Amino acid sequence: MTSQTHSTTWLIIGAGAIGLLWACKLTKAGQKVILINRQRNGCQNVQHIHEGITSNYEIEYSTIEQLTNSCSQNQLTQVLICTKAFDQPSAYNEIKHRLSPNAFIISLCNGVGSQATLQNLLIHQHALIVGTTSEGALKHSSTKVEQTGKGEHFFGFFDENQAKNTVLPNEILLFKDENIMARILSKAIINAVINPITSINNITNGNLLSAPYKEQAIAAIDELIGLLQNPDFIRNNPSINAVNTEREHVNSLVFSVAKNTSKNRSSMLEDVSNRRKTEIEFISGFFITEAKKIQFPMPIQSAFLHKINNV
């Protein structure tokens, strides 16, 4: 049985808000962390703010180039990928030569679809664990992150056959979920409402709780529910059977996240504001693609996709 010890180094790829937050979490838990970013190298003092309390953690930063050129022969066994969904394959390819044969690759990215692409790269090589979190995080700088809202974490094997002879790393074992793709779908539903509306209107998540944005969110939810409850969609996406798609529940889910992360600007809004590529193709794009397969109209999500891609 494969298991990891507490002396194992965690490699985190992606120094955005979630990457920084998890670097602090793991360091607080006594783990050694290497945080892959674009510019910094060496040990950095990272500030973590939660409920007005600031904690400081010493975290090793590295660029991909430095990691690639390192003389160290140590093989990595635990990799947490917190990049954008479309960057996951290249992130893996750039570090795979440093991985041990029993390495875990843990994907903590938005949307649906990139997980299968990554699994195809890993097949017969490394175990893929996928995860999702609803915790709010706000990146103030490259070395300062604020936990802005409470949330839940869920992790599980993308291929449940791997679970027969492998156990999750201790640090995420408590968050194991047998229906992880259902959790991924639930998160995608939330993101398909919150992310486009906040990005198009340049508002924080909390603004969705009041007019006129609340009405926009409810209309988007109603359209999604129509798709999610369609028998053909269910047949093509059996994981949805483990998701409660009743209107009252989905409304509560979306607005609870908006409330718990009310101070946050969605990651998509940050991307739009900084003229970066967004993950809209893995969020709205996923639902639109599935809807086209069964000839189900999705005018609201289609409008979101068009506006974000042409902003």
Side-chain angles (χ1 to χ4, degrees):
M1 177 178 286
T2 301
S3 62
Q4 304 300 322
T5 68
H6 286 282
S7 61
T8 302
T9 297
W10 281 79
L11 183 73
I12 300 179
I13 306 177
I18 294 299
L20 272 175
L21 185 64
W22 274 88
C24 292
K25 285 177 177 291
L26 290 167
T27 302
K28 183 180 180 180
Q31 302 301 299
K32 176 177 172 56
V33 171
I34 299 174
L35 182 62
I36 298 296
N37 71 124
R38 289 188 173 91
Q39 295 179 323
R40 292 177 178 264
N41 286 307
C43 195
Q44 305 287 331
N45 182 275
V46 178
Q47 290 183 306
H48 173 267
I49 306 168
H50 184 215
E51 296 181 343
I53 299 173
T54 299
S55 302
N56 293 278
Y57 300 103
E58 293 294 316
I59 295 174
E60 182 180 346
Y61 279 52
S62 175
T63 60
I64 283 289
E65 291 75 18
Q66 183 187 42
L67 185 74
T68 300
N69 297 327
S70 172
C71 295
S72 173
Q73 298 301 309
N74 293 335
Q75 290 186 308
L76 299 165
T77 58
Q78 294 180 168
V79 180
L80 179 61
I81 302 181
C82 300
T83 65
K84 296 298 182 184
F86 47 80
D87 282 332
Q88 284 192 108
S90 61
Y92 169 73
N93 283 329
E94 288 178 320
I95 54 90
K96 64 182 180 182
H97 66 286
R98 291 291 309 274
L99 302 178
S100 70
N102 66 333
F104 289 109
I105 307 299
I106 306 167
S107 166
L108 195 58
C109 301
N110 284 329
V112 185
S114 62
Q115 298 88 356
T117 301
L118 190 57
Q119 173 68 8
N120 288 336
L121 290 175
L122 301 180
I123 199 161
H124 305 313
Q125 297 182 56
H126 302 112
L128 176 61
I129 298 165
V130 294
T132 181
T133 179
S134 58
E135 201 162 49
L138 179 62
K139 180 181 176 180
H140 292 283
S141 72
S142 60
T143 56
K144 184 177 181 180
V145 65
E146 181 178 0
Q147 184 176 330
T148 55
K150 296 179 180 179
E152 296 179 299
H153 318 295
F154 302 101
F155 294 91
F157 290 98
F158 183 79
D159 180 357
E160 273 302 319
N161 289 324
Q162 293 177 326
K164 296 176 182 178
N165 57 5
T166 312
V167 295
L168 293 176
N170 292 333
E171 291 70 34
I172 62 173
L173 185 58
L174 289 175
F175 309 115
K176 183 178 181 181
D177 194 285
E178 299 294 341
N179 293 310
I180 189 59
M181 288 312 296
R183 297 290 187 180
I184 298 291
L185 277 171
S186 292
K187 179 68 179 298
I189 294 165
I190 296 168
N191 285 343
V193 178
I194 293 178
N195 287 16
I197 295 175
T198 57
S199 301
I200 292 167
N201 295 287
N202 192 25
I203 56 175
T204 60
N205 293 355
N207 287 113
L208 285 178
L209 301 173
S210 57
Y213 310 113
K214 185 172 184 177
E215 286 71 22
Q216 294 178 26
I218 289 173
I221 291 169
D222 286 346
E223 180 182 80
L224 285 167
I225 288 172
L227 175 67
L228 300 174
Q229 294 182 349
N230 184 288
D232 292 328
F233 176 87
I234 296 170
R235 189 177 304 111
N236 293 337
N237 298 272
S239 294
I240 200 66
N241 284 305
V243 178
N244 185 341
T245 60
E246 294 298 320
R247 180 169 281 99
E248 183 178 349
H249 176 79
V250 178
N251 278 339
S252 175
L253 195 65
V254 170
F255 291 116
S256 291
V257 171
K259 181 179 179 181
N260 291 338
T261 61
S262 59
K263 291 171 58 178
N264 278 34
R265 287 161 53 91
S266 68
S267 59
M268 188 174 291
L269 174 54
E270 288 295 321
D271 290 335
V272 168
S273 299
N274 290 284
R275 299 186 178 279
R276 297 190 298 250
K277 185 178 179 180
T278 75
E279 295 174 301
I280 191 71
E281 299 290 347
F282 295 89
I283 300 172
S284 295
F286 165 75
F287 292 112
I288 293 168
T289 298
E290 292 302 308
K292 285 181 178 178
K293 292 177 183 178
I294 60 174
Q295 298 183 335
F296 187 92
M298 297 285 284
I300 295 176
Q301 288 298 321
S302 296
F304 286 165
L305 181 69
H306 177 77
K307 288 180 180 179
I308 294 297
N309 282 338
N310 292 278
V311 67

